[in-house]
Amino acid sequence: MNFIIAGAVEAVKELYGQEIAENVINIQETRKEFEGQVTIVVFPIVRFSKKSPEETANDIGSFLQQNVAEVTGFNVVKGFLNLVIAESYWIDLFNNTLLQPDFLSIKPRGEKVMVEYSSPNTNKPLHLGHVRNNLLGYSVSELLKADGYEVIKVNLVNDRGIHICKSMLAWQNWGNGETPESSGLKGDHLVGKYYVLYDKKEKEELQNIISTYHEIGTTLSQFQKDKFGGAIGVLQTALDQNDPQALKRGFDIFASTVQNIINRFQSEENFDNIQEFVTLVNNSSFVSVAKMLQQWEQGDTEVVGLWEKMNGWVYEGFDVTYKKLGVDFDKYYYESNTYLLGKDTVEEGLAKGVFFKKEDGSVWIDLTADGLDQKLVLRADGTSVYITQDLGTAQMKYDDFGMDKSIYVVGNEQDYHFKVLFLILEKLGKSWAKGLYHLSYGMVDLPSGKMKSREGTVVDADDLVNEMVETAKQKTEELGKTNDFSEADKEDLYTTIGLGALKYFLLKVEPKKRLLFDPAESIDFQGNTGPFIQYTHARIKSLLSRADYHYAVADYSNIKLTPTELEMVMLLAKYPTEISEAAKAYSPAFIANYLYEVAKLFNKFYHETPPIIKEEDTAAKQHRLNLCKIAADVIKSGMGILGIKVPERM
RNA sequence: GCCUCCAUAGCUCAGCUGGAUAGAGCACCGGUUUUCUAAACCGUAGGUCACAGGUUCGAAUCCUGUUGGGGGUACCA
């Protein structure tokens, strides 16, 4: 529509002798209730014309009608100038742009972008929250590809740390050698089972410690009571709060209190009274799991062997889920290899004066001038924290790929972390820091609140997919449309539809919005849904094949476009713009909503058009089939960006 | 406390850098199949765009404040 803007600028120059910028001309699609296709909002021009909006609109309208060939008429409603564009313009657009083979081809822009997503922990299976992450990450990757970027999909696997050791410890203590084979459980589910078990056992132990304390309490000296009593209180509170971090803090306080008492009373007589109690504490899972992490870091062969075995199970399980979801990666990074990174970066920061060292040796950055806080980047004992690793990993990723942009698909609870991370890298003078972007998305909540793996209140990814496929099967069979399908084709179709419903459901919502998922209410298959769009595609393909469609440009000498056909040409022509806008916003939701419009409009067209197959006017028939063909192509392409397959029949 | 995100129909969501009478789907009610797939189409009804100010020719959209909700907040990732 650039020629309209140019024409309007020219009009203002000719009519009012004013040079105006192009962005003064505000154009939009004409509302359906008025005649015309393009509307110029004239209010911003009034200050140049020094006339009323209506007069200005009339002036410009006449000018455009006389000087711009495509403008064949206009009308003015208040301050809105509605322009009628010649039908030949739309027909040319359709034939020379939409119908050309390169309409959907990608135009490479010679830029590289990395998309990091999924990034699972290897201590539990994937749940609905991960599903949103995976689908979003995959879809954004496809979107950026469609917008001409070279995309590197990366998965940074969180395969180490105290949470991994918890599953390991539980399996070691209470697993009786259970394996995926012996249990029939998928590897990630088996490991997740022990993660939940650990949590349960740990709580029991802590309760036991507390009640044991109350039993022996009477034999303690007043001093011991005072000391212990406080620590026990902290522990009990943490236990009641049901928050892992609070629990860790509570236990740490408690454990150090116990240690102090041991040191103080070791030589005294009544020490025996609390011996049993101390043993209980020292043998607790809390202590064992910390010890296990240390052993892992020291490379203890037994622990590392167990770690490798159990992670192996998890990876096998994840592969199945990933395959089912249709997501993939070009490169895996493992935190077990990267968790020590970043210390060089800390040194660099100290040398540059970006970081400073406190008396205890810990290293910090002061971001108060940027409205943030002081942030620890290295502990006093020289070990890394989360952000240390991320600094190092960011550098490594850039060294490996030299990408222009890097997108982190991570939930919004880490907004602050990434703000700090990017700011630090900028302050360190990394040229690539400005290409970093945190694609932050909202949590998926259940009606009952947040999902928690430890408590088993999660919607499991595998279960969910299976349920969706099962529902798709039921609904399809009710409609009785697959009676002549082979078993394999049926299986395929149900998977396509079930996943289509799930993926569309999660992707049509703006990423940053939080999502409420009610497992009791199944995901719809009608209306603004994946299956509706899939159905539309199948419908078109069926029509094209029955009509024995062949590509050819229609003869338009006797064809007049209906309003709906005109609308379709305009809507389909927007597809490339839609992609680049969606890519700019990193929002597959734009594409989802656009495709819904396309599908809806096609169905309207389909209903109001007499059967195309029986059309005797060959030019009209060709023209309509061409329109159908482009609609199908756009739907297929757009759904591909969402990671959703479209069936030929359904 | 401070920072940040969110609030649009009963429910789930669109509404782009401010533009005309705020749009869909689901659910509800009514209609459409002797014609290319009814997972469709057409229609009725449903709104103080959380609230209050401000900016402007014009505000769901921008600014300020209030309320309600989510998340974060220095050695968990």
Side-chain angles (χ1 to χ4, degrees):
Chain A
M1 288 293 115
N2 289 334
F3 67 94
I4 301 283
I5 296 176
V9 169
E10 184 64 22
V12 173
K13 189 177 170 191
E14 289 293 318
L15 296 168
Y16 312 120
Q18 302 269 0
E19 292 279 356
I20 58 167
E22 287 195 347
N23 62 19
V24 174
I25 307 301
N26 180 345
I27 66 171
Q28 54 189 259
E29 272 173 48
T30 302
R31 287 190 155 228
K32 288 201 192 94
E33 56 267 40
F34 304 111
E35 197 196 351
Q37 294 83 41
V38 180
T39 294
I40 298 179
V41 183
V42 299
F43 295 107
I45 308 171
V46 171
R47 65 191 173 100
F48 297 103
S49 70
K50 310 247 165 38
K51 290 185 174 180
S52 74
E54 286 79 1
E55 282 178 282
T56 308
N58 274 307
D59 287 353
I60 296 173
S62 327
F63 181 92
L64 291 176
Q65 189 171 6
Q66 281 163 29
N67 295 286
V68 178
E70 292 89 345
V71 178
T72 55
F74 72 94
N75 63 82
V76 176
V77 181
K78 292 191 267 182
F80 298 88
L81 169 59
N82 302 323
L83 300 171
V84 180
I85 308 294
E87 186 167 276
S88 61
Y89 170 81
W90 301 110
I91 291 172
D92 284 351
L93 177 72
F94 184 65
N95 287 328
N96 300 333
T97 305
L98 306 198
L99 221 46
Q100 293 306 307
D102 67 346
F103 176 54
L104 295 176
S105 70
I106 293 167
K107 288 137 199 95
R109 53 170 74 219
E111 280 182 65
K112 219 189 269 187
V113 56
M114 175 179 284
V115 179
E116 180 193 302
Y117 70 101
S118 199
S119 307
N121 290 340
T122 58
N123 63 339
K124 53 181 182 242
L126 304 177
H127 60 62
L128 181 54
H130 299 113
V131 174
R132 186 176 199 189
N133 179 302
N134 281 290
L135 298 180
L136 192 56
Y138 179 82
S139 178
V140 165
S141 303
E142 292 304 305
L143 180 57
L144 292 168
K145 276 187 205 168
D147 197 33
Y149 288 93
E150 182 192 335
V151 176
I152 308 141
K153 288 178 273 191
V154 164
N155 191 355
L156 174 59
V157 183
N158 188 341
D159 62 343
R160 64 160 290 279
I162 197 84
H163 51 293
I164 312 292
C165 290
K166 288 179 179 178
S167 314
M168 288 161 59
L169 188 81
W171 185 83
Q172 200 174 46
N173 287 348
W174 306 295
N176 297 318
E178 193 176 32
T179 65
E181 292 74 33
S182 74
S183 65
L185 281 174
K186 213 162 146 274
D188 49 337
H189 286 89
L190 179 68
V191 171
K193 176 177 137 186
Y194 285 100
Y195 183 66
V196 173
L197 182 64
Y198 174 91
D199 196 61
K200 187 172 157 246
K201 292 281 187 184
E202 182 187 84
K203 281 197 181 117
E204 284 170 13
E205 286 174 9
L206 292 177
Q207 287 297 355
N208 189 25
I209 287 173
I210 290 170
S211 50
T212 306
Y213 163 76
H214 289 306
E215 281 166 25
I216 64 165
T218 49
T219 68
L220 297 176
S221 70
Q222 189 57 45
F223 178 81
Q224 289 169 335
K225 273 188 198 166
D226 291 347
K227 275 289 215 178
F228 272 150
I232 287 282
V234 171
L235 196 56
Q236 184 70 63
T237 311
L239 214 49
D240 294 342
Q241 272 180 3
N242 197 14
D243 170 50
Q245 271 170 266
L247 205 56
K248 184 180 182 312
R249 276 195 294 270
F251 188 84
D252 285 349
I253 292 170
F254 177 68
S256 69
T257 305
V258 172
Q259 204 56 48
N260 282 340
I261 299 208
I262 294 171
N263 292 340
R264 178 156 179 165
F265 293 98
Q266 232 158 10
S267 52
E268 293 185 13
E269 286 175 9
N270 68 347
F271 183 71
D272 287 348
N273 291 344
I274 61 169
Q275 187 67 58
E276 182 201 354
F277 180 65
V278 169
T279 311
L280 210 54
V281 173
N282 285 340
N283 288 345
S284 71
S285 296
F286 239 115
V287 173
S288 311
V289 82
K291 203 183 288 166
M292 189 180 246
L293 183 60
Q294 276 181 5
Q295 287 172 326
W296 182 88
E297 289 187 1
Q298 286 156 8
D300 181 290
T301 36
E302 202 178 315
V303 171
V304 170
L306 177 61
W307 173 75
E308 281 171 348
K309 174 160 73 179
M310 292 182 70
N311 270 355
W313 293 344
V314 173
Y315 294 141
E316 279 173 29
F318 282 177
D319 281 348
V320 171
T321 308
Y322 284 150
K323 193 166 272 179
K324 192 100 184 178
L325 287 174
V327 304
D328 56 24
F329 305 93
D330 302 305
K331 170 82 180 172
Y332 281 80
Y333 286 109
Y334 297 92
E335 245 187 65
S336 50
N337 293 324
T338 64
Y339 80 107
L340 295 174
L341 291 177
K343 293 185 185 176
D344 296 347
T345 315
V346 171
E347 287 305 318
E348 189 185 332
L350 280 168
K352 286 183 178 166
V354 176
F355 299 154
F356 67 93
K357 203 173 253 190
K358 285 195 177 172
E359 287 165 10
D360 64 356
S362 57
V363 182
W364 296 72
I365 184 166
D366 186 354
L367 296 171
T368 47
D370 298 280
L372 304 174
D373 302 310
Q374 290 199 354
K375 182 88 183 170
L376 177 88
V377 294
L378 198 68
R379 292 194 188 102
D381 63 6
T383 58
S384 306
V385 290
Y386 179 37
I387 200 146
T388 324
Q389 297 175 40
D390 263 9
L391 287 167
T393 308
Q395 180 71 57
M396 182 177 68
K397 291 198 292 190
Y398 181 74
D399 292 343
D400 286 353
F401 291 98
M403 60 281 189
D404 302 280
K405 292 185 186 183
S406 190
I407 316 298
Y408 293 82
V409 183
V410 181
N412 64 9
E413 76 275 15
Q414 295 198 33
D415 285 355
Y416 184 75
H417 171 75
F418 281 102
K419 217 172 180 180
V420 171
L421 178 69
F422 297 164
L423 190 55
I424 291 176
L425 288 167
E426 225 167 85
K427 285 185 185 290
L428 288 171
K430 303 293 178 191
S431 60
W432 40 270
K434 59 183 185 311
L436 302 172
Y437 182 78
H438 174 206
L439 176 49
S440 162
Y441 62 89
M443 296 290 94
V444 183
D445 290 327
L446 304 175
S448 56
K450 249 186 123 164
M451 291 192 279
K452 286 182 185 149
S453 301
R454 287 174 296 113
E455 292 162 29
T457 57
V458 289
V459 176
D460 179 75
D462 297 315
D463 292 348
L464 180 61
V465 169
N466 291 341
E467 276 167 34
M468 292 304 299
V469 173
E470 186 51 38
T471 311
K473 181 179 176 180
Q474 280 173 19
K475 300 223 177 204
T476 309
E477 286 180 350
E478 271 169 31
L479 294 170
K481 291 186 182 180
T482 47
N483 297 335
D484 61 331
F485 276 53
S486 73
E487 283 308 310
D489 285 350
K490 279 185 192 171
E491 206 52 38
D492 222 44
L493 181 67
Y494 303 151
T495 305
T496 299
I497 296 174
L499 277 171
L502 176 63
K503 291 181 177 186
Y504 190 87
F505 176 80
L506 292 174
L507 288 173
K508 77 170 176 190
V509 180
E510 201 53 36
K512 72 176 169 188
K513 291 210 175 179
R514 70 187 264 267
L515 206 62
L516 193 76
F517 178 78
D518 189 347
E521 279 178 41
S522 60
I523 293 173
D524 278 325
F525 284 67
Q526 283 166 357
N528 187 358
T529 65
F532 167 60
I533 298 171
Q534 290 174 319
Y535 167 76
T536 306
H537 178 266
R539 198 178 211 190
I540 300 173
K541 290 317 276 274
S542 156
L543 171 59
L544 291 176
S545 85
R546 298 187 94 193
D548 195 23
Y549 172 75
H550 292 288
Y551 169 81
V553 173
D555 170 10
Y556 281 90
S557 46
N558 281 317
I559 293 176
K560 174 130 180 57
L561 297 181
T562 66
T564 305
E565 287 171 355
L566 181 60
E567 227 183 302
M568 276 179 78
V569 172
M570 289 197 281
L571 185 62
L572 292 170
K574 283 201 308 199
Y575 182 56
T577 324
E578 212 62 39
I579 289 177
S580 51
E581 277 174 13
K584 225 172 279 166
Y586 303 111
S587 177
F590 282 31
I591 301 294
N593 288 308
Y594 169 77
L595 291 177
Y596 176 59
E597 303 251 317
V598 171
K600 215 165 42 153
L601 190 57
F602 173 83
N603 281 306
K604 181 182 173 179
F605 162 79
Y606 185 88
H607 271 270
E608 69 183 27
T609 308
I612 297 169
I613 292 174
K614 296 183 181 159
E615 177 62 55
E616 285 172 11
D617 179 340
T618 51
K621 184 175 178 180
Q622 184 69 44
H623 150 69
R624 285 176 197 154
L625 290 174
N626 282 346
L627 207 47
C628 294
K629 169 73 166 64
I630 302 302
D633 287 351
V634 165
I635 288 173
K636 185 171 189 172
S637 160
M639 290 291 262
I641 289 175
L642 300 180
I644 302 174
K645 288 190 204 156
V646 284
E648 297 289 307
R649 291 177 58 198
M650 72 181 269

